[in-house]
Amino acid sequence: MHLSENEGIEGNTFVVTGGLGFVGSALCLELLRRGARQVRAFDCRPTSPWSHDLASHGVRCIQGDLVRKKDVEKAISGADCVFHLASYGMSGKEMLQFGRADEVNINGTCHVLEACVQYEVRRLVYVSTYNVVYGGKEILNGNESLPYFPIDDHVDSYGRSKSIAEQLVLKSNGRPFKNRNGKCLYTCAIRPAAIYGPGEERHLPRIMSLAKLGLLLFRIGDPSVKSDWIYIDNLVLALILGSMGLLDDIPKQGYHPVAAGQAYFVSDGSPINSFEFLRPLLRSVGYDIPNTSLAVPHALVLGKIFGAVYTVLHPWLHKWWLPQPLILPAEVYKVGVTHYFSFLKAKQELGYVPMVTPKEGMAATMSYWQERKRKTLDGPTIYTWLFCVIGMITMFCAAYLPEIGPVPLLRAISLFFFRSMFSIRVVFLISAGLHIGESIYAWKLAKRVDPANAKGWFWQTFALGIFSLRYLLKRAK
């Protein structure tokens, strides 16, 4: 396509489902920058880290749920183009909430399609996933001619439901409007690689959290395994080009938009081992990728164990206090088996070429995480937490509680190390006094060097003593 950069955008109204998310917010702002008349961000969340920025730039934020048809109709009425980004179940605990994933990804997509036809929306761009054709079998430089991965063979509800939803979207291309005016809905699907960039909220925070706690224990698969990544700006460009490819009033294009009914793989175009890709980012904030490697079959066994345990915990999967599983089978396949795709079709038909190189994208991401670490509470690994908390509880029980339950065992363990009850009590009192004193000092020091997290430093140092205080002293220095 040879179009101006604002073709089909200036003066038009856009709806972005999932508009308060990382990708959705970036797309909303870019549409406004290019001259859109109105942009609506439709999301089930009332707020997000980008809400204020969106509102200040004039984005209309609409709260609603894709599974409620009336909410979808309210958001889409009067739109010229819809970007359907909202989905559920991409990673972590969400992957095990099968019912919700089907409701949002399949039923929600049906509601979007019906609303587009009802309100005569001419263009619908659907954000899909590599997983519609990939399910754990190696793919080298794949393209859009690959068949859909068999529905029943998907190991996760996300890949299965997104595959069904994409097929529904593409089969709805050319669907005529109800008033028989000769016009119809045009659709296309963009299949992005793993997304990264400053503010990414799904994968990178989880990886950083594991690294901070010392739970990034091993790599998965052979070092030669490669997969694709895509920087946020490149993905936003691909989505906008997809919407332009659905225009039906372009000279020499005539009756059939070039992107109508088509799917496109998009990436940075530089396949790389995921662990090597993340290594510079982790090192920039003081962590590193482990040298220990776990073979894919063994990692799958571990993933299935976590999947079984978290399935038992299904009623509490949405609770904040239940941590994310270490790994799940679908995530093993994502990082442990080679799969990368060509974006040649997107380049030839849409004019897509990555604007930001992987080096530039990673530099921006590293800068963001370095700044974020400076603003957040730092601390030791989970092993230090277990040592300090369990140690203090053990000494307290051994020193002061009566001989009930596990107390005799805890007292015997303490006596093995300290030899007498008097020594146990003295050591506990000294340790408790030091923790209290260190926590008060940490609070006063944090009020000067990190006031936003002063309370956090107090309680963390109260629990861990010098093991927490040394991080604050390092920051103060």
Side-chain angles (χ1 to χ4, degrees):
M1 296 189 305
H2 301 283
L3 308 174
S4 71
E5 69 166 9
N6 300 328
E7 193 79 37
I9 298 177
E10 291 179 325
N12 286 327
T13 296
F14 294 85
V15 174
V16 180
T17 69
L20 296 191
F22 172 58
V23 179
S25 60
L27 176 59
C28 288
L29 294 175
E30 180 64 11
L31 289 168
L32 283 176
R33 188 189 73 80
R34 290 180 180 234
R37 183 174 67 86
Q38 185 186 70
V39 178
R40 306 172 193 165
F42 178 74
D43 205 294
C44 62
R45 297 173 290 183
T47 60
S48 80
W50 300 276
S51 299
H52 178 73
D53 196 25
L54 292 174
S56 65
H57 281 83
V59 175
R60 181 185 170 193
C61 298
I62 303 174
Q63 185 181 4
D65 197 327
L66 276 176
V67 303
R68 292 197 292 266
K69 190 174 181 180
K70 288 185 179 180
D71 289 357
V72 177
E73 292 174 348
K74 180 181 177 181
I76 289 179
S77 175
D80 298 295
C81 177
V82 173
F83 291 93
H84 184 24
L85 279 63
S87 65
Y88 192 85
M90 181 182 292
S91 63
K93 294 185 293 183
E94 287 186 2
M95 300 179 82
L96 299 171
Q97 295 177 272
F98 313 116
R100 178 63 178 171
D102 285 351
E103 279 185 342
V104 173
N105 299 341
I106 301 175
N107 298 350
T109 299
C110 289
H111 292 159
V112 171
L113 288 169
E114 291 298 326
C116 285
V117 172
Q118 179 179 346
Y119 294 104
E120 301 188 3
V121 177
R122 303 298 307 278
R123 295 178 284 161
L124 170 62
V125 180
Y126 178 68
V127 177
S128 186
T129 170
Y130 275 19
N131 294 354
V132 299
V133 300
Y134 172 71
K137 297 179 181 179
E138 187 176 80
I139 299 175
L140 283 72
N141 206 36
N143 58 42
E144 290 79 3
S145 66
L146 288 170
Y148 286 101
F149 192 75
I151 293 296
D152 294 335
D153 292 345
H154 281 282
V155 297
D156 67 312
S157 59
Y158 180 76
R160 181 181 60 80
S161 59
K162 291 288 284 186
S163 178
I164 294 171
E166 183 190 287
Q167 293 178 66
L168 288 170
V169 168
L170 296 184
K171 287 179 179 178
S172 294
N173 178 66
R175 187 173 168 183
F177 297 141
K178 294 180 180 179
N179 63 9
R180 307 290 182 180
N181 59 4
K183 296 183 178 180
C184 63
L185 170 67
Y186 290 117
T187 67
C188 70
I190 304 296
R191 299 170 176 173
I195 306 163
Y196 72 102
E200 192 276 330
E201 59 182 348
R202 287 185 180 272
H203 305 298
L204 298 185
R206 186 174 168 202
I207 292 168
M208 288 294 183
S209 178
L210 289 173
K212 177 182 176 180
L213 293 172
L215 294 176
L216 204 60
L217 304 174
F218 46 79
R219 305 162 59 112
I220 296 175
D222 192 89
S224 63
V225 169
K226 292 182 179 180
S227 58
D228 285 324
W229 291 77
I230 185 167
Y231 186 65
I232 178 63
D233 291 358
N234 295 333
L235 176 54
V236 168
L237 172 63
L239 294 174
I240 289 176
L241 290 173
S243 74
M244 293 178 179
L246 297 178
L247 293 169
D248 63 355
D249 56 355
I250 300 173
K252 296 185 181 181
Q253 189 167 303
Y255 64 95
H256 189 73
V258 65
Q262 300 298 310
Y264 299 93
F265 290 110
V266 292
S267 68
D268 286 348
S270 301
I272 186 174
N273 182 274
S274 291
F275 295 96
E276 291 305 316
F277 179 77
L278 294 169
R279 187 187 293 276
L281 174 61
L282 289 169
R283 282 182 171 175
S284 71
V285 290
Y287 309 126
D288 203 354
I289 293 292
N291 294 321
T292 305
S293 182
L294 192 64
V296 170
H298 299 153
L300 281 173
V301 172
L302 184 62
K304 289 176 181 178
I305 292 173
F306 273 100
V309 171
Y310 275 72
T311 299
V312 173
L313 299 173
H314 185 272
W316 302 281
L317 287 178
H318 64 286
K319 299 294 185 182
W320 64 268
W321 47 262
L322 184 64
Q324 295 286 358
L326 183 64
I327 193 74
L328 291 171
E331 295 170 330
V332 172
Y333 287 136
K334 287 179 182 178
V335 298
V337 179
T338 292
H339 62 291
Y340 56 90
F341 298 81
S342 168
F343 62 77
L344 181 61
K345 181 181 177 182
K347 179 179 180 181
Q348 291 177 334
E349 296 186 5
L350 303 180
Y352 170 75
V353 176
M355 294 190 305
V356 181
T357 65
K359 184 177 180 180
E360 293 169 337
M362 181 52 71
T365 308
M366 288 164 57
S367 177
Y368 166 83
W369 275 99
Q370 288 169 346
E371 181 64 23
R372 177 166 169 170
K373 186 175 181 182
R374 281 193 289 269
K375 293 180 178 180
T376 56
L377 189 67
D378 203 3
T381 66
I382 193 171
Y383 311 109
T384 303
W385 276 92
L386 292 173
F387 171 76
C388 290
V389 174
I390 294 176
M392 291 297 289
I393 291 174
T394 298
M395 283 200 296
F396 172 77
C397 293
Y400 298 107
L401 294 187
E403 299 269 342
I404 56 174
V407 172
L409 176 61
L410 298 177
R411 185 161 290 147
I413 294 172
S414 299
L415 285 171
F416 176 80
F417 288 101
F418 300 109
R419 313 309 298 175
S420 70
M421 290 296 297
F422 177 75
S423 298
I424 294 172
R425 287 171 180 153
V426 168
V427 170
F428 173 78
L429 290 173
I430 292 174
S431 299
L434 287 173
H435 278 231
I436 293 171
E438 288 163 342
S439 62
I440 294 173
Y441 175 69
W443 179 72
K444 291 183 177 180
L445 181 59
K447 292 283 283 185
R448 180 168 56 87
V449 301
D450 189 14
N453 295 305
K455 288 185 179 179
W457 283 112
F458 173 84
W459 289 111
Q460 181 174 278
T461 307
F462 180 77
L464 304 180
I466 189 61
F467 296 105
S468 169
L469 183 59
R470 67 189 183 92
Y471 284 91
L472 180 59
L473 291 171
K474 181 179 179 182
R475 180 171 298 191
K477 184 179 179 180

